[in-house]
Amino acid sequence: NAGVMQNPRHLVRRRGQEARLRCSPMKGHSHVYWYRQLPEEGLKFMVYLQKENIIDESGMPKERFSAEFPKEGPSILRIQQVVRGDSAAYFCASSPQWLLHEQFFGPGTRLTVL
Amino acid sequence: GIQVEQSPPDLILQEGANSTLRCNFSDSVNNLQWFHQNPWGQLINLFYIPSGTKQNGRLSATTVATERYSLLYISSSQTTDSGVYFCAVGTSGSARQLTFGSGTQLTVLP
């Protein structure tokens, strides 16, 4: 059973460009979560999605960030007009439908904004 | 929101030594996980342990939910155990939103 997959593993963007991070959950998992790890900071929750629905986006910055989990295909975290402060490791996690269940994390995407 | 405190923040051990890492949380939880972030940055699931005790090889964990703490035990440490250990919790109001502690940086010397 393949684990959570994220791509790309490393992404370099110049200020003002767009970044698209992809996450494929584990087989059989219908819930996806995105977390961000900023340098010198801990891991912070960003957003929780089910297929075609955003359930909780309380941790998402109000501007430039968006997330989706379409009926077909991976979940996408999109960052528009990136700034240097967006440089971080972005982790995706997935879990099955049951409420009380562990989350399994992908290897992360390391975004560097030049 | 819930506060999660981990101690100690840093720990240096000689290979073969044992250690105990602690995670205190400020409210009731119904989800608690321990992770190891290896030197390559990957997050490895260690335990899903909202209550009780579990063991996996040289690692074991205990959560006493009523007293709001969890312990991670590492026995006979190896250099490959080095990295950061995170505790993360979910509460009844937001079980699916994990709140992470600041981690314990473990260095195991050969």
Side-chain angles (χ1 to χ4, degrees):
Chain A
N1 189 9
V4 177
M5 299 176 67
Q6 291 187 249
N7 67 79
R9 296 289 305 277
H10 300 273
L11 182 60
V12 179
R13 286 288 178 265
R14 295 191 180 279
R15 282 178 296 171
Q17 292 184 320
E18 179 179 287
R20 282 184 179 242
L21 288 62
R22 294 174 184 79
C23 169
S24 296
M26 289 179 68
K27 187 176 180 180
H29 286 191
S30 55
H31 300 257
V32 165
Y33 316 82
W34 286 93
Y35 293 82
R36 177 168 66 172
Q37 186 174 32
L38 290 162
E40 306 305 320
E41 292 190 24
L43 284 133
K44 306 288 186 188
F45 168 82
M46 299 181 75
V47 63
Y48 157 43
L49 310 102
Q50 297 178 20
K51 285 284 187 181
E52 301 185 283
N53 285 301
I54 298 174
I55 306 302
D56 180 356
E57 56 181 349
S58 58
M60 285 279 271
K62 299 302 180 196
E63 298 178 347
R64 301 186 298 107
F65 285 71
S66 62
E68 62 177 6
F69 189 15
K71 186 176 181 180
E72 302 291 337
S75 174
I76 306 289
L77 180 67
R78 181 184 179 203
I79 311 172
Q80 296 179 287
Q81 300 176 322
V82 296
V83 301
R84 289 211 173 114
D86 297 332
S87 295
Y90 292 82
F91 290 93
C92 168
S94 73
S95 71
Q97 64 184 55
W98 302 284
L99 175 62
L100 300 179
H101 199 283
E102 67 184 302
Q103 296 181 18
F104 295 89
F105 280 70
T109 293
R110 275 143 192 86
L111 172 65
T112 301
V113 180
L114 302 178
Chain B
I2 191 169
Q3 304 298 312
V4 182
E5 295 183 1
Q6 291 187 242
S7 60
D10 297 279
L11 185 59
I12 300 175
L13 300 174
Q14 207 67 38
E15 198 169 26
N18 302 328
S19 60
T20 301
L21 282 58
R22 188 176 181 101
C23 172
N24 292 333
F25 39 93
S26 61
D27 202 351
S28 300
V29 301
N30 54 17
N31 185 351
L32 190 146
Q33 294 185 233
W34 281 98
F35 299 90
H36 175 213
Q37 187 166 37
N38 63 24
W40 295 270
Q42 294 179 320
L43 279 168
I44 310 299
N45 285 46
L46 296 178
F47 293 102
Y48 170 71
I49 187 165
S51 63
T53 297
K54 290 187 178 180
Q55 181 159 6
N56 184 3
R58 297 180 296 104
L59 273 59
S60 63
T62 295
T63 297
V64 184
T66 53
E67 297 187 21
R68 300 182 182 173
Y69 73 89
S70 183
L71 302 173
L72 178 69
Y73 305 96
I74 305 174
S75 64
S76 305
S77 57
Q78 301 175 358
T79 56
T80 51
D81 294 333
S82 295
V84 183
Y85 289 79
F86 288 106
C87 165
V89 303
T91 64
S92 58
S94 54
R96 293 188 178 273
Q97 180 185 131
L98 290 178
T99 300
F100 282 76
S102 54
T104 292
Q105 173 76 57
L106 175 65
T107 303
V108 181
L109 302 174

